[in-house]
Amino acid sequence: MQNLFHERISSIAQAYPDKLALSDGVNNYSYSQLNKKIMQIACGLTKAGVNINDGVIIYMQRSLDYIICQLAILYIGAYFIPVNTAFPEQRINLIVGNSHAGFAVFDHSTEKTFDVSIGMIYCSILAGKSLFLIKDHLKANPRELTLFLKKNKIDLIDLTPTYLRFMCIESDDFAPKFLFSVGEALSVNLLEDFFKKYGPEKILIDMYGPTEACIFATSKKYDHNNAFGLSRVSIGRALKGYEVIILDDEFKPAREGQIFIAGRAIAQGYVGRPDLTAESFVKIPDREGIFYASGDYGFLTDDGEIEYLGRKDDQLKINGYRVETKDIESNILKYPGIDDVHIKVTSDLVNDRIVAYLVSKEEIDIKALHSFLLKQLPIYMIPNYFMQVDRFYYNINGKFDEAKLPDYELPICTEISNNQSAEETIVNIIESTLLHKINLQETFLFQGGNSLDAFTISLRLQREAGIDLPPNLFLSNNPLADIISNYSLTLADEREAGASISGHMVQPPSFQEMTLNLERNAQGLEGFEDVYPQYNLIKLVRIKPNIERSKLELNLRNLIAKHQVFRLSFLPQGLGKYIYVENKNEPFESYYKYIKTDETLNRDFVAKLVKNFRIDSCPLINFYFIETVESTYLLINAHHALFDYYSFVVMLEKLLSADSSSCLQELEPVEDYLEFLAKRRIEEAMQAGFWKSD
């Protein structure tokens, strides 16, 4: 019997080497390739000094490589600490500092993908199935997602109930036969709506389990026969290898009480938090092993199943995210002038809202407080509304009296006038989603919007008005007036561009838009203006004496004529969107220059040639054939939007045959400046943690 996961993967790779293991719809790994990649990364980690029980930080975008790195780290017996790249700096530093990890893994990808649960990763891979990652642009459009699921013949998908509700609204078909409902409590109404819409052939499995139990600890299978007429949704029984029990406050078995979980997959505790570990991982009288006190309340039915009743403490699941209200409160109390705070979660017709009640002797600048919290907490933990009160009330038993809190106040409305019909439509859909009037001079987040609202608004704009405004635009710090105004400018730009270059406008791939937006955001940041442009790929190679310049020039002419990427420029369309234009008549001299010099080829000489590009002007790549007294060189300077590093190398190999040139020197590796800053913050935090440790 195989007990280790890498032995299982190796066995599958030997039996079915060509079977698809991982895919994101573009990139694919067979089980043979997956096994080889795991071994390569594991070998590299071992050479870097990673040993059994070492912690390794993974600071990567969600991608296939992200999954493979997880598997490689586990292969050598280490453990990984995933760091969300979207978290603010302070939270990243806190995670890194508490982890005591001595190693970190980064990537250079710019493509974000939909996060899959740990449980789904290992369930798929260890069963020898094919795992697909769902990208953001598919997640934002349930109809496109449905087509993707059908095209790839996907049998099983996991969705939060929140997203499943959107699927029920937006998509008339649901391709997979099996659905895992994860991350939130499943409602009776949603369960019935799912089977009413998609029919009796579907199977929905409600999966329950906290992170400390490796995600899934119980399950309940629903079909058309048992999904109707329920008073509460059951989370079922314990999965194999788990023991799940309900105990009262005295740790005695009860029909209703806190859910406790034991088994081989239970975590050993919290790193660096022995106090919290002792509180949450406990021994139960007359039972073997350590039980995790989940903080969830449940009810034991007559047939031995468990119905979920809610949280015991202040930890909540809000729109699919785990939220500690005490964490929000502690960060708010760091703001000057606030004496006390209470977090309340309320629900409207769309989703849950976080309301922060503040006690202070002075008037609090709510806008400044909101900006402060954006630097401390993830967006999903930022309160939707803030309300200042004179005092809090407590009942006769000394407990907080939440019933005496006033209703939260909605932001003040600003009159909207002289708007075009498209602008009015945008405003109306935002207001009908948030259920209140909006202030165009404030940000979406400041007025109570959250990521789920942004997703809803984006879908409604697309469906009801044909307006394409991605959800991430609403989650920026730009006032709504700017977002709407930029959309109007985009329409005007598209009309003007369409008149002049009709037939040549193409939507670029998302990695290119991501690169262009990161470059734009980095402009003006301290350190951006360095010796070389931060968003250029720069390569310098020595040309062997037997290579004829005329032959190289001919190869280059053929490459430019054959491959469209050399002939592209990008036109900004506002709101982080671009179109690219093919420039077929650009002269060869714009791409290529021959230089003969008596100077020494050093950094200063190269810096005179390597300049920033204008993304709306072609070409976005330059080649310099340089003859010096010492030798002959080829210098290539390309904008990162044309190539990632790997395609850049492929292009170079086509230009220069392997036996006719040798790499002399590659200038400093160039990476996304914002990613560089984030990596530097992690490294500094790790170093600080090392020197502060005993």
Side-chain angles (χ1 to χ4, degrees):
M1 179 178 178
Q2 296 167 329
N3 296 316
L4 301 178
F5 83 89
H6 61 268
E7 293 177 346
R8 173 65 177 165
I9 295 175
S10 178
S11 174
I12 297 171
Q14 291 179 9
Y16 309 100
D18 298 326
K19 185 173 183 179
L20 179 64
L22 296 176
S23 176
D24 60 9
V26 176
N27 305 294
N28 303 299
Y29 282 95
S30 67
Y31 269 93
S32 176
Q33 293 170 327
L34 172 63
N35 191 51
K36 182 178 179 180
K37 186 82 170 181
I38 291 172
M39 299 289 285
Q40 289 174 340
I41 296 176
C43 181
L45 291 170
T46 302
K47 288 182 178 179
V50 181
N51 295 311
I52 294 175
N53 294 326
D54 281 342
V56 181
I57 292 169
I58 302 182
Y59 186 83
M60 302 174 67
Q61 303 288 355
R62 305 299 190 186
S63 62
L64 300 184
D65 287 340
Y66 176 86
I67 294 175
I68 297 171
C69 280
Q70 288 184 15
L71 298 172
I73 292 168
L74 296 177
Y75 175 86
I76 59 179
Y79 63 90
F80 61 87
I81 304 102
V83 176
N84 191 325
T85 58
F87 279 174
E89 177 181 348
Q90 288 88 342
R91 195 164 189 84
I92 291 175
N93 291 341
L94 177 65
I95 295 172
V96 172
N98 288 342
S99 71
H100 302 293
F103 305 90
V105 178
F106 307 97
D107 73 349
H108 297 275
S109 67
T110 57
E111 183 75 22
K112 292 185 177 179
T113 58
F114 178 57
D115 185 16
V116 296
S117 71
I118 296 294
M120 287 294 286
I121 292 174
Y122 301 119
C123 286
S124 175
I125 296 299
L126 296 181
K129 303 297 183 180
S130 301
L131 176 66
F132 287 81
L133 271 69
I134 308 299
K135 295 190 176 183
D136 281 344
H137 74 278
L138 292 177
K139 182 185 174 187
N141 191 324
R143 296 176 184 176
E144 289 187 13
L145 174 57
T146 298
L147 293 175
F148 178 86
L149 298 175
K150 287 184 175 181
K151 176 183 176 182
N152 293 285
K153 300 179 180 179
I154 293 175
D155 299 316
L156 168 65
I157 188 173
D158 68 334
L159 298 174
T160 64
T162 297
Y163 191 81
L164 179 58
R165 171 62 68 187
F166 281 115
M167 287 292 294
C168 288
I169 295 172
E170 292 294 322
S171 177
D172 294 330
D173 194 7
F174 187 82
K177 179 179 179 180
F178 297 94
L179 165 70
F180 280 3
S181 176
V182 300
E184 300 171 348
L186 180 67
S187 70
V188 171
N189 290 339
L190 179 56
L191 183 64
E192 293 186 353
D193 289 346
F194 173 79
F195 283 103
K196 286 177 181 177
K197 180 158 188 175
Y198 297 122
E201 71 279 3
K202 304 299 182 185
I203 294 175
L204 186 151
I205 302 174
D206 192 19
M207 306 295 294
Y208 162 82
T211 302
E212 291 83 353
C214 288
I215 310 302
F216 300 146
T218 74
S219 71
K220 170 66 176 181
K221 178 181 175 182
Y222 289 98
D223 55 31
H224 206 267
N225 296 319
N226 66 349
F228 296 92
L230 302 175
S231 58
R232 281 198 297 248
V233 174
S234 167
I235 59 174
R237 293 183 172 85
L239 295 170
K240 184 178 181 180
Y242 288 94
E243 183 179 3
V244 181
I245 58 177
I246 294 178
L247 304 177
D248 61 19
D249 292 340
E250 297 179 355
F251 293 96
K252 294 181 180 179
R255 292 289 299 272
E256 183 174 322
Q258 187 178 176
I259 299 174
F260 288 78
I261 308 170
R264 294 181 62 186
I266 298 298
Q268 299 178 18
Y270 301 105
V271 176
R273 292 295 306 274
D275 55 334
L276 190 57
T277 298
E279 179 183 335
S280 300
F281 296 86
V282 298
K283 288 282 293 182
I284 303 298
D286 302 324
R287 291 184 181 272
E288 296 182 359
I290 299 296
F291 282 78
Y292 171 65
S294 69
D296 292 327
Y297 264 68
F299 176 80
L300 189 65
T301 65
D302 292 337
D303 58 1
E305 294 188 351
I306 297 174
E307 294 177 344
Y308 179 77
L309 301 180
R311 289 293 301 172
K312 173 180 181 291
D313 51 25
D314 296 310
Q315 186 187 85
L316 304 169
K317 278 291 185 73
I318 299 179
N319 301 324
Y321 295 101
R322 178 189 275 195
V323 173
E324 295 274 5
T325 58
K326 295 299 183 185
D327 197 4
I328 302 174
E329 291 174 353
S330 65
N331 278 279
I332 291 177
L333 287 172
K334 295 176 184 177
Y335 191 79
I338 296 180
D339 301 317
D340 203 356
V341 60
H342 178 76
I343 296 297
K344 178 181 178 180
V345 177
T346 185
S347 298
D348 58 27
L349 298 179
V350 180
N351 56 25
D352 295 324
R353 307 282 177 185
I354 303 174
V355 184
Y357 291 89
L358 314 173
V359 174
S360 176
K361 298 181 181 66
E362 57 191 72
E363 185 174 351
I364 298 299
D365 185 339
I366 300 300
K367 189 172 183 179
L369 171 60
H370 187 269
S371 298
F372 170 79
L373 292 176
L374 283 172
K375 299 177 182 178
Q376 309 292 326
L377 296 168
I379 286 178
Y380 61 81
M381 291 178 66
I382 305 294
N384 303 99
Y385 303 108
F386 298 84
M387 189 171 186
Q388 190 167 339
V389 296
D390 295 331
R391 54 167 295 189
F392 291 145
Y393 294 89
Y394 298 85
N395 60 29
I396 194 171
N397 296 321
K399 294 184 178 181
F400 188 89
D401 192 348
E402 194 171 84
K404 291 186 177 181
L405 289 173
D407 292 335
Y408 62 86
E409 296 175 351
L410 298 177
I412 300 172
C413 171
T414 297
E415 291 297 327
I416 304 167
S417 60
N418 300 322
N419 287 332
Q420 299 176 3
S421 58
E423 294 173 327
E424 290 177 342
T425 299
I426 295 172
V427 170
N428 289 337
I429 288 179
I430 293 174
E431 290 183 341
S432 62
T433 300
L434 297 183
L435 303 179
H436 62 75
K437 294 291 185 180
I438 60 172
N439 183 342
L440 292 177
Q441 306 310 314
E442 299 290 357
T443 67
F444 178 77
L445 292 172
F446 183 68
Q447 299 182 85
N450 57 34
S451 57
L452 184 58
D453 294 323
F455 179 67
T456 303
I457 292 167
S458 181
L459 281 176
R460 290 188 60 194
L461 287 170
Q462 194 176 64
R463 183 183 72 244
E464 298 174 23
I467 294 175
D468 185 15
L469 284 179
N472 62 293
L473 294 179
F474 296 101
L475 302 179
S476 69
N477 281 323
N478 297 320
L480 284 170
D482 289 353
I483 295 175
I484 296 173
S485 175
N486 285 339
Y487 176 75
S488 297
L489 292 175
T490 299
L491 292 178
D493 289 343
E494 287 178 349
R495 287 193 292 268
E496 181 179 350
S500 59
I501 52 175
S502 178
H504 297 283
M505 296 187 297
V506 183
Q507 185 73 26
S510 55
F511 94 86
Q512 292 177 323
E513 287 192 340
M514 180 72 71
T515 301
L516 295 170
N517 288 328
L518 284 172
E519 177 183 27
R520 181 196 61 197
N521 293 337
Q523 296 288 349
L525 291 178
E526 180 182 356
F528 184 80
E529 289 78 13
D530 210 333
V531 178
Y532 301 110
Q534 292 287 345
Y535 277 79
N536 290 10
L537 286 168
I538 306 166
K539 191 81 171 179
L540 182 66
V541 296
R542 175 181 287 157
I543 305 299
K544 290 187 176 181
N546 61 337
I547 295 298
E548 297 179 7
R549 176 160 58 96
S550 59
K551 181 179 179 181
L552 185 143
E553 292 174 354
L554 179 61
N555 288 346
L556 180 57
R557 286 179 184 273
N558 290 335
L559 275 177
I560 295 172
K562 183 177 181 180
H563 297 286
Q564 184 192 47
V565 69
F566 291 97
R567 306 189 297 273
L568 298 181
S569 61
F570 299 83
L571 297 182
Q573 298 298 292
L575 300 174
K577 305 298 288 183
Y578 300 82
I579 56 174
Y580 63 58
V581 181
E582 182 180 359
N583 304 273
K584 295 183 178 181
N585 299 319
E586 196 68 30
F588 180 68
E589 290 72 24
S590 298
Y591 295 89
Y592 173 80
K593 187 174 183 180
Y594 167 64
I595 300 174
K596 188 170 184 177
T597 180
D598 294 332
E599 295 184 46
T600 302
L601 194 65
N602 54 29
R603 288 178 60 87
D604 291 336
F605 183 91
V606 173
K608 296 176 184 177
L609 301 175
V610 176
K611 303 296 183 181
N612 276 311
F613 293 101
R614 281 192 51 171
I615 61 171
D616 59 352
S617 298
C618 182
L620 295 178
I621 185 169
N622 296 128
F623 300 84
Y624 299 92
F625 191 97
I626 306 170
E627 286 188 3
T628 70
V629 176
E630 308 173 327
S631 188
T632 303
Y633 304 90
L634 180 67
L635 172 66
I636 306 174
N637 176 34
H639 194 285
H640 206 321
L642 295 187
F643 304 96
D644 59 23
Y645 180 78
Y646 299 102
S647 59
F648 185 77
V649 171
V650 171
M651 179 273 294
L652 184 61
E653 290 175 348
K654 289 185 177 181
L655 184 61
L656 301 167
S657 60
D659 61 347
S660 62
S661 67
S662 61
C663 181
L664 168 71
Q665 174 193 11
E666 181 179 357
L667 302 181
E668 295 178 348
V670 181
E671 60 191 345
D672 293 343
Y673 186 68
L674 298 184
E675 183 176 345
F676 162 76
L677 290 179
K679 286 167 51 175
R680 186 170 66 182
R681 290 197 298 266
I682 287 183
E683 292 165 357
E684 290 172 350
M686 290 172 59
Q687 292 173 10
F690 173 80
W691 292 112
K692 290 179 182 178
S693 64
D694 297 331

